[in-house]
Structure formats: C-alpha cells, structure tokens
Short mmCIF file of all heavy atoms in Angstrom, two decimals:
data_model
loop_
_atom_site.label_atom_id
_atom_site.label_comp_id
_atom_site.label_asym_id
_atom_site.label_seq_id
_atom_site.Cartn_x
_atom_site.Cartn_y
_atom_site.Cartn_z
N ARG A 1 116.76 114.95 174.56
CA ARG A 1 116.79 116.42 174.55
C ARG A 1 117.18 116.93 173.16
O ARG A 1 116.67 117.94 172.70
CB ARG A 1 117.80 116.94 175.56
CG ARG A 1 117.40 116.76 176.98
CD ARG A 1 118.43 117.42 177.91
NE ARG A 1 118.24 117.04 179.29
CZ ARG A 1 117.25 117.46 180.06
NH1 ARG A 1 116.36 118.27 179.58
NH2 ARG A 1 117.16 117.06 181.31
N PHE A 2 118.10 116.22 172.53
CA PHE A 2 118.56 116.62 171.20
C PHE A 2 117.40 116.63 170.21
O PHE A 2 117.30 117.54 169.37
CB PHE A 2 119.67 115.68 170.72
CG PHE A 2 120.23 116.06 169.38
CD1 PHE A 2 121.01 117.20 169.24
CD2 PHE A 2 119.95 115.30 168.26
CE1 PHE A 2 121.51 117.56 168.00
CE2 PHE A 2 120.45 115.66 167.02
CZ PHE A 2 121.24 116.78 166.88
N ASN A 3 116.50 115.66 170.30
CA ASN A 3 115.33 115.64 169.41
C ASN A 3 114.47 116.88 169.60
O ASN A 3 113.99 117.47 168.62
CB ASN A 3 114.49 114.39 169.65
CG ASN A 3 115.13 113.15 169.09
OD1 ASN A 3 115.99 113.19 168.22
ND2 ASN A 3 114.72 112.00 169.62
N PHE A 4 114.29 117.30 170.84
CA PHE A 4 113.47 118.49 171.08
C PHE A 4 114.19 119.76 170.60
O PHE A 4 113.56 120.69 170.14
CB PHE A 4 113.09 118.60 172.55
CG PHE A 4 111.97 117.66 172.92
CD1 PHE A 4 112.25 116.44 173.52
CD2 PHE A 4 110.66 117.97 172.64
CE1 PHE A 4 111.24 115.55 173.84
CE2 PHE A 4 109.63 117.10 172.96
CZ PHE A 4 109.92 115.89 173.56
N LYS A 5 115.51 119.78 170.71
CA LYS A 5 116.26 120.92 170.18
C LYS A 5 116.10 120.99 168.66
O LYS A 5 115.84 122.06 168.10
CB LYS A 5 117.73 120.82 170.55
CG LYS A 5 118.53 122.01 170.05
CD LYS A 5 120.00 121.86 170.28
CE LYS A 5 120.82 123.00 169.75
NZ LYS A 5 120.35 123.70 168.59
N LEU A 6 116.25 119.86 167.98
CA LEU A 6 116.06 119.83 166.53
C LEU A 6 114.64 120.25 166.16
O LEU A 6 114.44 121.03 165.22
CB LEU A 6 116.32 118.43 165.97
CG LEU A 6 117.76 118.04 165.75
CD1 LEU A 6 117.84 116.59 165.29
CD2 LEU A 6 118.42 118.94 164.73
N LEU A 7 113.67 119.73 166.89
CA LEU A 7 112.28 120.06 166.62
C LEU A 7 112.04 121.56 166.76
O LEU A 7 111.38 122.18 165.93
CB LEU A 7 111.37 119.27 167.55
CG LEU A 7 109.87 119.40 167.33
CD1 LEU A 7 109.48 118.99 165.92
CD2 LEU A 7 109.12 118.57 168.35
N LYS A 8 112.62 122.16 167.79
CA LYS A 8 112.48 123.60 167.99
C LYS A 8 113.10 124.37 166.83
O LYS A 8 112.50 125.32 166.31
CB LYS A 8 113.14 124.01 169.31
CG LYS A 8 113.04 125.48 169.60
CD LYS A 8 113.68 125.80 170.93
CE LYS A 8 113.58 127.28 171.21
NZ LYS A 8 114.13 127.61 172.52
N ASP A 9 114.28 123.96 166.42
CA ASP A 9 114.97 124.64 165.30
C ASP A 9 114.15 124.55 164.01
O ASP A 9 113.99 125.55 163.31
CB ASP A 9 116.35 124.05 165.08
CG ASP A 9 117.32 124.34 166.22
OD1 ASP A 9 117.02 125.23 167.06
OD2 ASP A 9 118.36 123.66 166.29
N TYR A 10 113.64 123.37 163.70
CA TYR A 10 112.86 123.20 162.47
C TYR A 10 111.50 123.89 162.57
O TYR A 10 111.00 124.42 161.58
CB TYR A 10 112.72 121.73 162.09
CG TYR A 10 113.93 121.22 161.36
CD1 TYR A 10 114.93 120.53 162.04
CD2 TYR A 10 114.10 121.46 160.01
CE1 TYR A 10 116.06 120.09 161.37
CE2 TYR A 10 115.21 121.03 159.33
CZ TYR A 10 116.20 120.34 160.02
OH TYR A 10 117.32 119.90 159.34
N ALA A 11 110.89 123.87 163.73
CA ALA A 11 109.61 124.57 163.90
C ALA A 11 109.79 126.05 163.59
O ALA A 11 108.97 126.66 162.88
CB ALA A 11 109.08 124.37 165.32
N ARG A 12 110.86 126.63 164.08
CA ARG A 12 111.14 128.04 163.81
C ARG A 12 111.37 128.25 162.31
O ARG A 12 110.83 129.16 161.71
CB ARG A 12 112.37 128.49 164.60
CG ARG A 12 112.65 129.97 164.46
CD ARG A 12 113.84 130.44 165.30
NE ARG A 12 113.67 130.11 166.71
CZ ARG A 12 114.54 129.36 167.40
NH1 ARG A 12 115.62 128.89 166.83
NH2 ARG A 12 114.32 129.11 168.67
N GLN A 13 112.16 127.37 161.71
CA GLN A 13 112.47 127.48 160.28
C GLN A 13 111.20 127.38 159.43
O GLN A 13 111.06 128.10 158.44
CB GLN A 13 113.45 126.38 159.88
CG GLN A 13 113.84 126.39 158.43
CD GLN A 13 114.80 125.25 158.11
OE1 GLN A 13 115.50 124.74 158.96
NE2 GLN A 13 114.81 124.86 156.85
N PHE A 14 110.29 126.49 159.80
CA PHE A 14 109.07 126.27 159.03
C PHE A 14 107.94 127.23 159.41
O PHE A 14 106.88 127.23 158.80
CB PHE A 14 108.55 124.84 159.20
CG PHE A 14 109.48 123.76 158.74
CD1 PHE A 14 109.40 122.49 159.30
CD2 PHE A 14 110.42 123.97 157.74
CE1 PHE A 14 110.24 121.48 158.88
CE2 PHE A 14 111.27 122.96 157.32
CZ PHE A 14 111.18 121.71 157.89
N GLY A 15 108.12 128.01 160.47
CA GLY A 15 107.08 128.92 160.93
C GLY A 15 105.91 128.19 161.58
O GLY A 15 104.75 128.61 161.43
N LYS A 16 106.20 127.12 162.32
CA LYS A 16 105.15 126.31 162.97
C LYS A 16 105.15 126.55 164.48
O LYS A 16 106.18 126.76 165.09
CB LYS A 16 105.42 124.81 162.75
CG LYS A 16 105.64 124.39 161.32
CD LYS A 16 104.38 124.38 160.52
CE LYS A 16 104.67 123.86 159.12
NZ LYS A 16 103.53 123.98 158.26
N ARG A 17 103.96 126.51 165.07
CA ARG A 17 103.79 126.52 166.51
C ARG A 17 103.38 125.10 166.89
O ARG A 17 102.31 124.65 166.49
CB ARG A 17 102.74 127.53 166.94
CG ARG A 17 103.22 128.97 166.82
CD ARG A 17 102.16 129.97 167.26
NE ARG A 17 100.94 129.89 166.46
CZ ARG A 17 100.75 130.48 165.28
NH1 ARG A 17 101.72 131.19 164.75
NH2 ARG A 17 99.62 130.37 164.64
N ILE A 18 104.22 124.45 167.64
CA ILE A 18 104.00 123.04 167.96
C ILE A 18 103.62 122.88 169.42
O ILE A 18 104.24 123.48 170.30
CB ILE A 18 105.27 122.22 167.65
CG1 ILE A 18 105.56 122.29 166.15
CG2 ILE A 18 105.13 120.78 168.11
CD1 ILE A 18 106.86 121.66 165.73
N SER A 19 102.61 122.06 169.65
CA SER A 19 102.24 121.64 171.00
C SER A 19 102.49 120.15 171.09
O SER A 19 102.18 119.40 170.16
CB SER A 19 100.76 121.92 171.27
OG SER A 19 100.51 123.31 171.21
N ILE A 20 103.07 119.73 172.21
CA ILE A 20 103.37 118.32 172.44
C ILE A 20 102.31 117.75 173.35
O ILE A 20 102.03 118.29 174.43
CB ILE A 20 104.77 118.16 173.08
CG1 ILE A 20 105.86 118.79 172.20
CG2 ILE A 20 105.05 116.69 173.38
CD1 ILE A 20 106.06 118.15 170.85
N ILE A 21 101.72 116.64 172.93
CA ILE A 21 100.71 115.93 173.71
C ILE A 21 101.31 114.57 174.05
O ILE A 21 101.61 113.79 173.15
CB ILE A 21 99.40 115.73 172.93
CG1 ILE A 21 98.98 116.98 172.14
CG2 ILE A 21 98.31 115.19 173.83
CD1 ILE A 21 98.59 118.16 172.94
N SER A 22 101.50 114.30 175.34
CA SER A 22 102.07 113.02 175.75
C SER A 22 101.61 112.68 177.16
O SER A 22 101.59 113.56 178.03
CB SER A 22 103.59 113.06 175.72
OG SER A 22 104.14 111.83 176.18
N PRO A 23 101.29 111.41 177.41
CA PRO A 23 100.91 111.02 178.77
C PRO A 23 102.10 110.96 179.72
O PRO A 23 101.92 110.87 180.93
CB PRO A 23 100.28 109.63 178.57
CG PRO A 23 100.96 109.09 177.35
CD PRO A 23 101.20 110.30 176.47
N GLU A 24 103.32 111.02 179.19
CA GLU A 24 104.51 110.89 180.01
C GLU A 24 104.97 112.25 180.54
O GLU A 24 105.33 113.14 179.76
CB GLU A 24 105.64 110.25 179.23
CG GLU A 24 105.40 108.78 178.94
CD GLU A 24 106.62 108.08 178.41
OE1 GLU A 24 107.76 108.55 178.66
OE2 GLU A 24 106.44 107.05 177.76
N PRO A 25 104.99 112.43 181.86
CA PRO A 25 105.45 113.69 182.44
C PRO A 25 106.88 114.07 182.00
O PRO A 25 107.17 115.26 181.81
CB PRO A 25 105.38 113.45 183.95
CG PRO A 25 104.33 112.40 184.11
CD PRO A 25 104.49 111.51 182.89
N ALA A 26 107.76 113.10 181.83
CA ALA A 26 109.13 113.40 181.42
C ALA A 26 109.16 114.02 180.02
O ALA A 26 109.95 114.95 179.76
CB ALA A 26 110.00 112.14 181.46
N VAL A 27 108.32 113.54 179.13
CA VAL A 27 108.24 114.10 177.77
C VAL A 27 107.67 115.52 177.84
O VAL A 27 108.17 116.43 177.18
CB VAL A 27 107.39 113.19 176.85
CG1 VAL A 27 107.14 113.86 175.51
CG2 VAL A 27 108.07 111.84 176.66
N GLN A 28 106.65 115.70 178.65
CA GLN A 28 106.07 117.04 178.81
C GLN A 28 107.13 118.01 179.34
O GLN A 28 107.24 119.14 178.86
CB GLN A 28 104.89 116.99 179.77
CG GLN A 28 103.71 116.19 179.26
CD GLN A 28 102.67 115.97 180.34
OE1 GLN A 28 102.43 116.84 181.17
NE2 GLN A 28 102.06 114.80 180.35
N HIS A 29 107.91 117.56 180.29
CA HIS A 29 108.96 118.40 180.87
C HIS A 29 110.01 118.78 179.82
O HIS A 29 110.39 119.95 179.72
CB HIS A 29 109.60 117.69 182.06
CG HIS A 29 110.67 118.49 182.72
ND1 HIS A 29 110.40 119.58 183.52
CD2 HIS A 29 112.01 118.38 182.67
CE1 HIS A 29 111.54 120.10 183.94
NE2 HIS A 29 112.54 119.38 183.43
N LEU A 30 110.49 117.80 179.05
CA LEU A 30 111.46 118.09 177.99
C LEU A 30 110.88 119.09 176.98
O LEU A 30 111.58 119.99 176.54
CB LEU A 30 111.87 116.80 177.27
CG LEU A 30 112.89 115.92 177.96
CD1 LEU A 30 113.08 114.62 177.18
CD2 LEU A 30 114.22 116.65 178.10
#
C-alpha cells in the first residue's frame, strides 16, 4: 500500500495521470 501512496504523491507532483495494468486482482484493488 505504501508503494501506491508514494506513486500517487509523485504522480501529483509530476502532473501525471497513471493507469495500472496488472493481471492480479489484488494489485488492481490497491
């Protein structure tokens, strides 16, 4: 979860819209 929190913070800082593509439902949920 911490990785996704960091990713969200940096995406906002960099002005990026990120989409996560993963075959794992748990990753999609996070």
Side-chain angles (χ1 to χ4, degrees):
R1 289 185 192 287
F2 182 71
N3 286 340
F4 283 98
K5 182 186 178 329
L6 280 176
L7 185 58
K8 180 179 180 177
D9 292 345
Y10 278 97
R12 185 177 304 122
Q13 180 181 336
F14 298 154
K16 308 286 184 187
R17 287 180 300 276
I18 297 174
S19 297
I20 302 296
I21 317 293
S22 177
E24 290 192 23
V27 172
Q28 294 170 36
H29 181 74
L30 281 174

